[in-house]
Structure formats: C-alpha cells, structure tokens
Amino acid sequence: MKRILMLVTAILAAGCGLEMETDADGLGTAKQPILLPGGSTTTGTSYQESPTQLIANGGFNKYVAGWDLVGNAKIIGNAGSAGTDGLMFNYGSWGTPGAARQRVSLPWSATSAKVAFQARVMGSEYRAYRQVFRVRITDNYGNTLKTLLELTPATSTLTTGWHSFGPFEIADLKGRDVKLDFGLAVASENVLDWRVDNASLLIWQ
C-alpha cells in the first residue's frame, strides 16, 4: 500500500510540475509552490521570501552614514515624516542645486528590485516656483539609467503634506553597481524647501 501511495503522489506531483520530498516513513509529499513577484512560482528553497534592504540609513538619521550629500542637501532634525531626522533641500543654501546619493550593488540573482520613498514640499505655492525635483538611478559616473520621478512647476500638481512614491521596479539593472539619486535643481533664488524620508530599495532573489 505504501508503494502505491508513493507512486500515485509522484505521478500527481509530476503532472503539476512540483518537486517531491520524502518523510521519515518513506512517504513522498509534494513541496508547496512559493509565489514569486509577478505571479510565477517556484518549489525550490533558493527564492528569498523576505526581501533584503539595500539602502543604508533610509530614514536619514544624521548620526548614521550612508548618503553622499552635495550642495543644498542636508540631513537635519525634525525634517522627517514623523518629526525625526530627514533629508532637506535648500536648508541654509538658497538657490543652489543639491543631491543625496547612495551606491548599491544589485545582485545578478535579483528577481525583483523595488525603490520607494516619501517626499513633500514645504509650502502651498509650488507651481509658482522654478524647481525640478528628480529621483534617478544612475551609474557610478552620474549618467542616468532610469528616471523614477520628475516634478516640475509646469507638470506637477503636488500639494503640501507627505506623499508616498513607488514602488519602482529596477530589476532590469541587476548585476550592476548603481546609485539612488535624489536631486533638486533650482533656477531661482525664491525657492521652497523639499524634504525626503523613508527611502528603500528592496530586493527579492
């Protein structure tokens, strides 16, 4: 009877494309499929069900390393979404461009890689000011590989308050060293403060 059960289980599993595992009694059972991003499945154990965070200090703690700050980009207290530290543009250096960048390596094994973050503009008259807020994925030399977000006075209807952006899929860049780049370009000295918080780049593999 045991042999018959094992044979029937093996036939059913093969028909469904599932792998088999054997218990202590020698009975075979089919492994349960694992849902992958995008809806495909696998029965192996190599797929990582819990994602890995590649961004260091995505909450922009001013006492923690991780970001390369340029120009008017600063990490200051009370600039975050919950009153904690956060990234702020135009703090103490008006009318100059700024950027916050972090380098990461996307592994070849990544099946999904998603970028997300929060941002807000401090003021209610954004459309009257000449600013361009961009979030990009670049190579190590600053060349744009993907533009995830670009807000300009001519195209944006962004209101005040914190807004969540993403997730943006970048798995097609796997196997490369890239940079997550938050940048503010200004063409006028009469500008508003931009704030960014909770940046993340999660990968599944």
Side-chain angles (χ1 to χ4, degrees):
M1 179 62 72
K2 183 182 293 186
R3 288 181 176 274
I4 294 175
L5 288 174
M6 292 177 63
L7 179 60
V8 171
T9 304
I11 293 173
L12 291 175
C16 296
L18 300 178
E19 297 177 15
M20 294 291 296
E21 57 187 6
T22 304
D23 59 21
D25 295 324
L27 292 176
T29 57
K31 292 184 179 180
Q32 294 299 311
I34 299 173
L35 183 64
L36 293 173
S40 58
T41 60
T42 180
T43 56
T45 57
S46 61
Y47 173 65
Q48 180 183 346
E49 294 184 75
S50 298
T52 298
Q53 176 64 259
L54 294 188
I55 293 296
N57 191 20
F60 296 98
N61 186 315
K62 61 184 176 182
Y63 299 110
V64 179
W67 296 94
D68 179 21
L69 303 177
V70 180
N72 65 24
K74 311 289 182 182
I75 295 178
I76 65 171
N78 297 318
S81 59
T84 54
D85 296 348
L87 173 64
M88 187 171 180
F89 291 96
N90 295 326
Y91 181 77
S93 54
W94 295 75
T96 58
R101 305 174 179 126
Q102 186 170 148
R103 177 180 174 178
V104 298
S105 296
L106 297 176
W108 277 107
S109 57
T111 59
S112 181
K114 298 181 183 295
V115 177
F117 55 91
Q118 290 181 293
R120 71 172 297 177
V121 60
M122 301 300 294
S124 59
E125 299 178 352
Y126 169 64
R127 293 177 64 85
Y129 295 82
R130 298 170 59 193
Q131 302 176 90
V132 179
F133 177 66
R134 294 189 185 97
V135 183
R136 303 179 298 151
I137 301 296
T138 74
D139 61 18
N140 289 330
Y141 302 99
N143 300 308
T144 300
L145 301 176
K146 278 181 177 289
T147 298
L148 305 183
L149 180 70
E150 181 171 302
L151 298 176
T152 70
T155 62
S156 176
T157 58
L158 190 67
T159 58
T160 58
W162 285 96
H163 298 264
S164 296
F165 297 94
F168 303 94
E169 180 62 69
I170 63 168
D172 57 319
L173 299 176
K174 64 183 180 181
R176 305 186 62 165
D177 289 338
V178 300
K179 289 184 179 181
L180 175 58
D181 184 302
F182 295 97
L184 183 68
V186 294
S188 170
E189 292 186 2
N190 195 13
V191 294
L192 298 172
D193 296 335
W194 273 88
R195 302 187 184 191
V196 180
D197 200 8
N198 297 322
S200 71
L201 200 176
L202 297 174
I203 64 164
W204 288 260
Q205 54 187 339

